[in-house]
Amino acid sequence: MRTIMIVLANLSVAILLAGCTRPVQQAASTGSVTGDVIYTVQTDLPDDALVTVQLHDVTAGAGDSTLVNQQQLATNGNPPPYAFGVPFPPAGIDQSHAYGLMAFIQDAAGHIIFRSDAVVPVLTQGNSMAGIEVPVMPVDRNPGVSTEQEQALASGLIGELWEVVSLNGDPPAADTTITAQFGEDGALSGSDGCNSYSATYAVDGAAITIQPGASTAMACPEPAMTQATDYMAALAAATRYAIDGGMLTLADAGGATLLTYRVVEQSLAGASWEAILFNDGAAVVSATGVQITVAFSADGQLSGFGGCNEYAATYTTGAANAIQIDPLVATQKACTEPANVMEQESQYFVALQSAMVYQAQGELLEMQNGNGQIAVQFQRTRGQGASPAAAPPIDPDIYNKMPATTVFAPGQCSVILDAPAPAYTSNTLGGQSSGEIAAGIYAVGVAADYDSSLWYGLNDLGATSYINSTSVTATEGDCSTGAK
């Protein structure tokens, strides 16, 4: 072991292509990208640590990159810098594409202990192929995450929403969507085209084992029911996985492709969004009194209305739906109505800039801060003359109170009541009911774990809109839950 310390320039935490530009180097008949892997912290690096440097085609974005080549280096207990030379075929480099380097360091057990926080641009678009510095940062490893799950995270399996494009060689049935999302904790969840399902998985290199678990029990017309059965059977039969160019394939022991998925793009651009919730620094509250909006353009610009002032900023997005919003520039009007408009606007501006990850699904856009809390939640802006916006799909009171809350997009989850059910407000959960909800089918905005029970918050029913899951006859759609 050696204690090592090296002082370097600051590393940008953006996960987009960023950094300085350099003159393009002349391509040789056999090319290589050369440079050093470096880091800034003082630590004891294991003598048998292994450095991996990867060259990616990142034209489609860091979260949808294609591996061109990689090089592995033994540290042999030596301190940084670690010199590398990743070879590439010059004829295979498209000058209209973007390329970048990423690196990570593993210990002998395969744990990733350092990794890149940003892609370093190389080769094309004015960037160099020599003298490249690739900074890596320490990874705060979760003791509950296995080596295998870390391998899955490094491969790109985790952090994406995958949609099936081929099942046993055939496209999904019309009007069905089959999805999968792999968690860092070994949990797998999604929709089989009819019901929501859960499973567990484990990986070892390119090997994968999937153990199907529970699913909802909604009956669907054919061919959706048969397709769902075939899909779960395909998951259980999968033994190998591969990711290439934003496509995930699962194959059986004989090498036959069972499933092909694509990454579901979660685009911010092309829509205007209206704030319905935001974090005021103490709790998540509803936006009231005025319409607060934001619109994202594809060139990294955003603009909107804070309730009194127009504002604008630049933003960047990266892998795993990371987002960084730069300081806002706003007009300097002073408004007196409604009474709290200036305070609300100021709190909204702070909340928006605190966003670090986002998820856009259907009519809902949710941004979370570094603590995993809602920063701002938006819904798509309705056109002029449209009916007033529906009630927010989550009551701020219940969100702030519950230790495990799941927010559903409009139309994502519904519950069926065959008989009237006791109804509660967010302040009477687990106690005396505050009313009754009639039998019927209701859209769900939120599911929350509280008092050893699962509770559903129903949309558009006012404050007395929470029911215990024991009152529910069945669910429809994707009602799978998780911690907030």
Side-chain angles (χ1 to χ4, degrees), residues 156-166 172 176-184 186-193 195-201 208 210 231-232 234-236 238 241 243 246-250 259-266 359 361 478 480:
L157 183 66
I158 295 170
E160 303 284 6
L161 177 61
W162 299 98
E163 180 182 349
V164 170
V165 295
S166 175
T176 64
T177 301
I178 306 173
T179 61
Q181 195 155 27
F182 296 83
E184 291 188 40
L188 168 61
S189 61
S191 170
D192 62 14
N195 284 283
S196 301
Y197 70 88
S198 61
T200 58
Y201 78 98
I208 189 167
I210 298 175
Y231 173 68
M232 298 309 295
L235 286 180
Y241 79 98
I243 299 173
M247 304 295 285
L248 164 66
T249 57
L250 299 182
L259 290 158
T260 304
Y261 300 81
R262 70 173 182 90
V263 173
V264 177
E265 297 294 337
Q266 301 187 70
Q359 182 176 18
Q361 185 175 5
D478 182 5
S480 54

Side-chain angles (χ1 to χ4, degrees), residues 250-390:
L250 299 182
D252 63 17
T257 298
L258 301 170
L259 290 158
T260 304
Y261 300 81
R262 70 173 182 90
V263 173
V264 177
E265 297 294 337
Q266 301 187 70
S267 176
L268 295 173
S272 180
W273 304 90
E274 176 185 352
I276 52 178
L277 299 174
F278 67 92
N279 196 317
D280 69 0
V284 175
V285 298
S286 297
T288 59
V290 291
Q291 186 181 51
I292 299 174
T293 65
V294 68
F296 299 85
S297 63
D299 62 357
Q301 304 290 321
L302 67 83
S303 60
F305 181 64
C308 177
N309 288 281
E310 305 284 343
Y311 68 92
T314 57
Y315 74 97
T316 54
T317 59
N321 290 346
I323 188 167
Q324 178 177 322
I325 297 175
D326 298 323
L328 304 179
V329 177
T331 56
Q332 298 298 310
K333 291 172 56 181
C335 300
T336 57
E337 294 183 355
N340 69 334
V341 64
M342 297 304 295
E343 180 183 13
Q344 177 175 264
E345 181 178 78
S346 177
Q347 292 169 345
Y348 164 73
F349 286 163
V350 172
L352 183 62
Q353 291 177 97
S354 75
M356 297 188 68
V357 295
Y358 71 93
Q359 182 176 18
Q361 185 175 5
E363 297 298 303
L364 202 66
L365 166 63
E366 182 174 299
M367 295 183 171
Q368 295 183 353
N369 59 29
N371 296 322
Q373 301 169 328
I374 290 176
V376 188
Q377 189 180 89
F378 301 90
Q379 64 185 10
R380 289 185 188 271
T381 302
R382 291 159 172 78
Q384 294 294 327
S387 59

Side-chain angles (χ1 to χ4, degrees), residues 18 58 62 80 112 239 422 431 466 472:
V58 293
I112 297 175
T239 62
Y466 302 105
V472 174

Side-chain angles (χ1 to χ4, degrees), residues 36-39 45 48-54 70-76 78-84 102-107 113-114 134 136:
D36 298 300
V37 175
I38 57 176
Y39 55 83
L45 193 68
D48 50 7
L50 187 68
V51 180
T52 300
V53 186
Q54 297 179 331
Q70 67 179 18
Q71 181 186 33
Q72 291 188 319
L73 310 165
T75 62
N76 297 318
N78 294 318
Y82 304 113
F84 62 82
M102 292 177 276
F104 55 90
I105 303 176
Q106 295 169 286
D107 62 19
I113 52 179
F114 283 79
V134 182
V136 292

